[in-house]
Amino acid sequence: MSSPPQKINLVRIAHIYYTYPNLSSACDFLLDFGFTEVKTIHSNNNKDTSDTTELEKIYFRGYGKDPWVLCAIKGETAGFGGAGFLVESEADLRLAAATLPRASEIYELGDAPGGGKCVTFHDPVDGWPMHLVHGSEEVEMLDITLPQVQFNYVSRVHLSAPFFSLSFLFFFFFGKGPVTNGCCYLLL
C-alpha cells in the first residue's frame, strides 16, 4: 500500500497585488475605501519617505490581524497582479518549491510589512503569479468604530415557478461614505 500524496495546506488568502499606472490616484481611492497605508517603497533608493512622485509600491492593511492585505504596484497598465495564500508550515513551502512547476526557491519577504518566507509560482491558465507565504508576523487589530446602520428602504420580491416559490426581503441602506453603502437580503 502506498502512502497518500503530500499536500500543500493552505490556511487562507493572505494578500493580493494590483498594478496601477497612477499610483497616487490608486492610493487616494484605496484610502477612501477604508484601507490603511502601512509602507511605501520608492524606486529611487528603496527607502520609506513621504514623497509620492517616485512611488514604486504601497502596502495597505485592513482592520484585521494581517500586516498587509493589498500591495499597489506602479505599472504600465491597471490589472490584477496575483494573490498570496498563507500556508500551515515552512514544510509546505519546501514541498511547493520542490513539486510545483516553475516554482521559485523559498525567499524572504524583505520589504513587505510583517516579513515571512514565500514561494512564487504561476497560475497555469492565466499566468498570474501566486505566492505561498509562511511566517508573517500578525499585528494588532485596528480599533475602529463601525457605524450603526439604519435601514431606509425595504422591498419584498416574490418569485414563482411551477415547482417552487421564493420570497426575498431586500434591505437597502445608504449612508455617507464608501464602505457603509450596501444591500442585503433574506430568503423567506
Side-chain angles (χ1 to χ4, degrees):
M1 182 173 176
S2 66
S3 62
Q6 291 181 309
K7 296 180 183 178
I8 299 167
N9 298 299
L10 300 181
V11 176
R12 60 181 163 76
I13 190 165
H15 53 260
I16 57 173
Y17 296 87
Y18 273 93
T19 58
Y20 300 94
N22 186 335
L23 206 49
S24 294
S25 293
C27 180
D28 292 341
F29 170 77
L30 293 167
L31 292 172
D32 287 345
F33 199 73
F35 289 101
T36 302
E37 187 176 328
V38 179
K39 186 175 183 180
T40 58
I41 306 293
H42 293 262
S43 59
N44 56 349
N45 58 9
N46 248 7
K47 292 190 178 182
D48 292 357
T49 68
S50 60
D51 180 18
T52 59
T53 58
E54 299 178 24
L55 283 174
E56 182 181 330
K57 290 183 196 176
I58 307 174
Y59 291 94
F60 294 90
R61 68 171 287 188
Y63 68 89
K65 292 185 175 189
D66 292 310
W68 62 283
V69 295
L70 188 145
C71 180
I73 303 169
K74 176 85 171 154
E76 293 294 319
T77 60
F80 180 66
F85 298 89
L86 189 66
V87 295
E88 282 185 358
S89 69
E90 195 168 334
D92 290 314
L93 293 181
R94 288 191 297 275
L95 179 61
T99 60
L100 293 177
R102 298 182 311 138
S104 72
E105 295 295 320
I106 297 173
Y107 62 93
E108 294 285 333
L109 290 171
D111 65 354
K117 294 183 179 181
C118 186
V119 169
T120 299
F121 65 100
H122 289 80
D123 176 274
V125 176
D126 298 313
W128 289 325
M130 296 291 162
H131 312 278
L132 302 177
V133 179
H134 179 72
S136 294
E137 292 182 29
E138 290 185 342
V139 294
E140 290 293 320
M141 288 185 66
L142 294 179
D143 186 19
I144 62 169
T145 305
L146 298 174
Q148 290 288 331
V149 177
Q150 298 295 319
F151 296 109
N152 55 10
Y153 179 69
V154 178
S155 177
R156 183 182 192 105
V157 176
H158 184 75
L159 302 173
S160 293
F163 300 106
F164 69 91
S165 177
L166 294 174
S167 289
F168 295 90
L169 278 182
F170 285 89
F171 297 93
F172 295 89
F173 42 97
F174 302 97
K176 185 171 176 142
V179 181
T180 61
N181 298 338
C183 167
C184 65
Y185 65 91
L186 295 175
L187 179 61
L188 303 175

